[in-house]
Amino acid sequence: MGFARTCSVALVGVEGVVVEVQADLEPGVAAFTLVGLPDKSLTESKDRVRAALVNSGAEWPQKKLTVGLSPASVPKAGSGFDLAVASAVLGASERIDPRVLSDVVMIGELGLDGRVRPVRGILPAVLAAAEAGYEQVVVPECAAAEASLVPGVSVLGVRTLRQLIAVLADEPVPDEEPDEGRPDPLMAGLRLPGTGAATGMRTAAGAHQDQGHDLADVVGQLAARTAVEVAAAGGHHLFLEGPPGAGKTMLAERLPAILPRLAREESLEVTAVHSIAGLLPAGKPLVDVAPYCAPHHSATMQSLVGGGQGIARPGAVSLAHRGVLFLDETPEFSSHALDALRQPLEAGHVVIARSAGVVRFPAKFLMVLAANPCPCGRFSRTDDLCECPPALIRRYQARLSGPLLDRVDLRVEVDRVTRSELTRRGAQGESTATVADRVRSARERAAARLLDTPWRTNSEVPGRELRSRWHATPGAMDEAERCLERGVLTARGLDRVLRVGWTIADLVGHDRPDATDVNLALQLRTGVPRGVPMAIGALT
């Protein structure tokens, strides 16, 4: 008779639950029973663990073996429990002192030859272990850097089960040579199908320091450039409407580069989501720049907000957490998929209920919508090039619902680039570095003003708080309030105009928004000229 226990972590979304893995050996016919709501891949761990132990030089116990996963009411999924199950079996058979295992959390998949393979979700799993009070964690060697991001936790990275047995038994640790000269086989299959390039994700380094993309490349488009700057400074959602080739996609692709780098807490949030999705870039375990996600317009509702069979996986809104979600050709998206964005836009998170459980993913993102004005893309108020019937234009523009657009702070028409603008010499716009400096300064002003609050950007502040604690200058809101009375703005729209006004004030260095700041915010929302300069530099 033998008994041993160790711990692992079950992930539900980005939240983890520490699971006690218990192994019990009893006299009887040799059998291996696994209980505690395991899924298919976890049930198959019985064969992986047995082969890994035998191939690592350990003896498989010829007794009745029962492995329990507690709490039994929590669903467990994935192969990350293999290392804990193997260690508990070794403790129960007294190959390892069971007392050494009780306070250690083990995460990793076992190959049949005993190699320890990485699994998705290492960072959120170690975070959950640290919050539960555990101080020692064993993970695959190639994931040790990711696990070490959690402070206060001692991380041991092992390459094989043989190495782990030696460490726990206080024996000489064998030197396992890695395979060289070819791709690391341990990383094979770590990415989920349908992630990476298929979701439009850009690598962390490329999203922030792409030397081939600069705002100075964008010809003309003063209003759109101003809107991009304001969106970055305050975290405001943006809608760009204009003909093909006007620069909508160029502006959206350059937006992540002018966003500030993520704070430490924000980096851990983003890294946790990307770890679960299998999108962490090789050699860079911490995502410290704003992510950029641009799904194709054929994306389903599940791919946008999250879902899938069994335990739900993060969607594009969560992969863009603390970054940019760009929906190009927005009217071509399913109307159901677009309307599903309304809840995460307001709440900053998405809750997905499935029969296997309820998961919650963070979803604080900056949304950029881009659309043509009509099916042919040539509709304009200044010429008659468009040949689309008026009814067809109305139906096309109605694909974006009013409730969704009401949640968008900035709506800008991107004009067709003229010949003179395209051929003009020496008239480049401001560079990414120049705009990024202004955005960083504006965010610092907002953070200082919101220091003792749960908010960090102007877009997060509730309208009630803005109206009661942070007032614009006297008379600054008069024009916006008249628009509310005429039905041009909703009550939500008025609050969003005030938020954008605060962002513009932060960009130009005003203590409070004045009439010029609010009128520019109103112009960026309604598209109606208000007699104010569009360039931020002209307001300073």
Side-chain angles (χ1 to χ4, degrees):
M1 176 179 178
F3 177 83
R5 63 185 177 86
T6 187
C7 294
S8 190
V9 178
L11 289 176
V12 183
V14 293
E15 300 172 353
V17 178
V18 176
V19 173
E20 188 175 90
V21 181
Q22 305 168 342
D24 178 70
L25 283 174
E26 297 283 351
V29 178
F32 189 173
T33 305
L34 184 64
V35 297
L37 282 183
D39 73 339
K40 179 66 174 177
S41 62
L42 181 49
T43 302
E44 293 174 348
S45 69
K46 296 187 292 185
D47 298 319
R48 291 194 300 270
V49 169
R50 181 186 290 110
L53 258 66
V54 172
N55 290 326
S56 298
E59 183 179 350
W60 183 258
Q62 298 301 316
K63 296 181 180 180
K64 180 182 178 182
L65 171 63
T66 303
V67 174
L69 308 175
S70 178
S73 59
V74 176
K76 292 89 179 174
S79 57
F81 291 86
D82 289 3
L83 200 57
V85 171
S87 300
V89 172
L90 290 169
S93 62
E94 299 183 349
R95 175 64 177 87
I96 298 173
D97 187 349
R99 295 172 297 180
V100 178
L101 301 173
S102 58
D103 295 327
V104 181
V105 174
M106 301 192 179
I107 307 165
E109 177 187 325
L110 286 174
L112 300 184
D113 56 355
R115 290 181 300 172
V116 182
R117 298 170 56 94
V119 294
R120 293 181 291 269
I122 290 289
L123 177 60
V126 177
L127 283 170
E131 292 175 358
Y134 290 87
E135 298 179 350
Q136 294 180 298
V137 177
V138 178
V139 299
E141 184 182 58
C142 55
E146 181 182 346
S148 299
L149 297 173
V150 182
V153 176
S154 175
V155 177
L156 172 63
V158 294
R159 189 171 296 159
T160 63
L161 181 59
R162 188 181 294 107
Q163 286 184 334
L164 178 60
I165 295 174
V167 170
L168 296 178
D170 198 18
E171 300 172 354
V173 179
D175 185 18
E176 305 284 354
E177 292 293 334
D179 294 328
E180 297 181 355
R182 56 181 177 177
D184 188 353
L186 296 181
M187 304 303 293
L190 186 58
R191 285 178 177 264
L192 281 172
T195 60
T199 60
M201 288 297 302
R202 187 184 297 174
T203 62
H208 200 266
Q209 296 294 339
D210 191 340
Q211 300 299 325
H213 292 78
D214 195 284
L215 270 176
D217 300 334
V218 180
V219 177
Q221 310 302 355
L222 179 60
R225 291 171 61 96
T226 299
V228 167
E229 181 176 348
V230 173
H236 304 288
H237 305 305
L238 172 63
F239 176 39
L240 300 172
E241 184 180 39
K248 302 185 296 293
T249 303
M250 290 180 66
L251 287 163
E253 289 177 341
R254 284 150 180 78
L255 178 55
I258 64 176
L259 291 173
R261 285 188 174 272
L262 301 178
R264 176 73 179 187
E265 183 179 353
E266 296 171 339
S267 295
L268 291 177
E269 292 176 2
V270 175
T271 303
V273 176
H274 286 221
S275 176
I276 290 174
L279 290 174
L280 287 182
K284 189 175 178 59
L286 182 66
V287 179
D288 58 356
V289 297
Y292 173 84
C293 186
H296 190 260
H297 59 74
S298 61
T300 63
M301 182 192 303
Q302 289 76 15
S303 67
L304 284 181
V305 301
Q309 296 181 350
I311 299 297
R313 296 289 183 181
V317 297
S318 298
L319 296 177
H321 180 58
R322 303 292 183 183
V324 177
L325 175 66
F326 178 44
L327 303 182
D328 200 4
E329 304 294 346
T330 310
E332 303 299 333
F333 281 80
S334 162
S335 60
H336 296 293
L338 290 176
D339 286 337
L341 299 176
R342 287 152 54 179
Q343 184 263 340
L345 283 173
E346 290 290 330
H349 63 266
V350 58
V351 178
I352 304 170
R354 294 289 185 270
S355 59
V358 178
V359 298
R360 181 182 185 273
F361 292 114
K364 289 185 178 180
F365 56 92
L366 193 166
M367 182 178 69
V368 180
L369 307 178
N372 295 325
C374 66
C376 77
R378 293 181 294 179
F379 175 75
S380 173
R381 296 184 179 91
T382 59
D383 55 48
D384 56 355
L385 297 177
C386 177
E387 298 178 355
C388 300
L392 181 61
I393 297 175
R394 287 195 298 270
R395 285 198 301 270
Y396 184 81
Q397 294 178 348
R399 293 181 183 178
L400 302 183
S401 67
L404 175 63
L405 289 179
D406 196 43
R407 290 166 168 83
V408 178
D409 303 343
L410 309 168
R411 309 176 195 173
V412 179
E413 290 189 10
V414 182
D415 298 324
R416 185 180 292 107
V417 179
T418 64
R419 176 183 178 183
S420 61
E421 289 175 330
L422 195 61
T423 58
R424 190 180 305 159
R425 298 179 180 273
Q428 282 189 331
E430 291 179 312
S431 67
T432 293
T434 301
V435 177
D437 287 339
R438 281 203 301 266
V439 169
R440 183 172 57 253
S441 299
R443 289 238 180 174
E444 290 172 354
R445 292 190 187 96
R449 183 174 62 254
L450 304 172
L451 184 60
D452 297 325
T453 71
W455 314 294
R456 290 295 174 265
T457 60
N458 293 317
S459 63
E460 300 174 6
V461 183
R464 180 187 67 259
E465 297 291 336
L466 281 175
R467 294 190 298 270
S468 61
R469 296 178 59 179
W470 294 288
H471 304 282
T473 58
M477 296 294 295
D478 290 349
E479 183 65 24
E481 291 170 355
R482 283 193 289 270
C483 288
L484 176 65
E485 292 176 353
R486 295 196 300 267
V488 177
L489 292 178
T490 63
R492 181 195 286 125
L494 182 66
D495 288 341
R496 292 181 178 272
V497 167
L498 182 53
R499 289 176 185 148
V500 175
W502 269 106
T503 299
I504 295 171
D506 290 333
L507 282 167
V508 300
H510 294 166
D511 294 332
R512 290 193 295 170
D514 57 19
T516 302
D517 300 330
V518 175
N519 286 340
L520 178 55
L522 195 58
Q523 181 170 325
L524 289 173
R525 182 174 179 85
T526 64
V528 179
R530 306 285 170 176
V532 294
M534 284 301 300
I536 294 296
L539 300 178
T540 56

